[in-house]
Amino acid sequence: MNPLHDNLSRRGFLAGSLAAGTGLAFSPWSLKADETKPKKKLAVVTTEWRFHSHAWHMAERFLTGYPINGKWHHPPFDVVTAYVDQFPDNDLSRGRAKEFGFKITPTIAEALRNGKDKLDVDAVLIIGEHGKYDKSDVGQTKYPRYEFFKAVTDVFAEDGKVVPIFNDKHLSWNWDWAKEMVDISREQKIPFLAGSSLPVTWRMPSIDMPYGAEVEEIMSVAIGGTDSYDFHALEVMQCMAERRKGGETGVVSMQALRGDDVWEAMDAGPWNAGGWDPQLFKACLTRTQTLAQPETYSHRYPTTAQIREWVKKPIAYRFEYADGLKGTMLLMNGLVNDFTFAAKLKGQKDPLSTLFYLPPNPNVVYSAALMSNAEKTFLTGKPPYPVERTLLTGGLVEAGMQSLAQDSKKLETPHLAVEYQVPDKTLFWVS
């Protein structure tokens, strides 16, 4: 828990960070299954189960296993039931149920009770992503993650027993509901893990935010749209920011920009002038593996004119933490096709920067990295990192979309006073 010293050299800083990463304090395969014991029972609760859906990414890791540390790992779980909310034409759930022998139930309660009168599973995997659902007044998809969670925890309350829950991505589109989910998990003493694969996938280079670092400004340059990939990019930032000196203190304001307002902010220069540290933007672009290029060129840094030409609909979220840390999340479709991070640390000339690496389809091993953490939670009852990270990140998404809906108004966010501490362990995959 030593803080980063102001006079730490760049070489020593990177070496220390790399050592933290390659030490891989999270080694789940001390959790080797005892093959003499019966497998535990897992219930899956999902919006839909089709090719490339999140159920395909995650639930199937518990059907067929996944690679880790050069071995193929089979979790000590049987998927025994599934509740599936919607069945598109390319549904896979029925075929998977027939192949692997689990039941698709008409209600969540029946999935959890598995044909019995009381709770009869050892863990619950909630996946509320994809499917056809209404939009909120600011454009958020009303995925029923809260409704799923409440149905699960109602069974827990009725049956007088709880089991661990993993919730994919953010908790709810509605802040009050998301906060209630965390409160219920605390009140009922439910081991509760949530979030996405970005914090636990590989990084290039394999570095973490030094524990206890004094951090002044952070950035992520990413792809995708609002209410989806903005969550991933913000989670990239949050899993690094939470390791700073003093731990997490919450966010006090959010302003989201789009279109020409983004270019004006970029031209403005530093944060206090309405923009962001240009060194951080450049550091992110040095880490991307998908930087756009003019025809016939290879790996040249783009000009400002090229960036504006290629990125048709830029989005920026500018937000401030209670302890003074500044953050900028940029969605730059047309310029990059991945997720990078950079940070300005006190006393350091050069930014800390890295790529959060997502291997391509069809293997998408980053979902295995995430499910290894879900599995650890299911087996030990101890989530590797706090659910408050997901609570805060989801709140940032909602605040950003509300700002966009109000013509980029800067919003005060006293409700995002989420404080928490994370362990010193480095949890992302390195092998």
Side-chain angles (χ1 to χ4, degrees), residues 17-79:
S17 301
L18 182 60
T22 55
L24 195 61
F26 171 44
S27 181
W29 314 123
S30 57
L31 299 176
K32 288 184 179 178
D34 184 344
E35 296 182 359
T36 65
K37 293 182 178 180
K39 288 188 174 183
K40 294 180 179 291
K41 301 172 185 176
L42 176 64
V44 175
V45 177
T46 187
T47 47
E48 67 176 24
W49 193 329
R50 57 166 174 79
F51 190 48
H52 286 177
S53 71
H54 282 208
W56 173 82
H57 274 283
M58 299 174 193
E60 298 195 13
R61 299 297 184 182
F62 290 93
L63 298 178
T64 61
Y66 52 87
I68 184 169
N69 292 338
K71 297 180 180 179
W72 201 272
H73 171 72
H74 292 276
F77 285 87
D78 282 327
V79 175

Side-chain angles (χ1 to χ4, degrees), residues 266 281 285 294 300-310 335:
M266 182 177 287
F281 184 73
L285 296 198
R300 296 197 177 190
Y301 193 86
T303 66
T304 299
Q306 287 171 333
I307 293 172
R308 293 189 180 197
E309 177 187 354
W310 297 335
L335 178 64

Side-chain angles (χ1 to χ4, degrees), residues 149-176:
F149 179 86
K150 285 284 288 181
V152 169
T153 55
D154 284 350
V155 171
F156 291 176
E158 290 169 15
D159 295 356
K161 180 184 177 183
V162 305
V163 298
I165 299 174
F166 175 82
N167 178 94
D168 174 41
K169 287 190 72 175
H170 39 316
L171 302 176
S172 174
W173 60 273
N174 180 307
W175 167 261
D176 291 333

Side-chain angles (χ1 to χ4, degrees), residues 19 22 102 124 173 330 379:
T22 55
F102 61 86
V124 182
W173 60 273
L330 292 161
L379 290 173

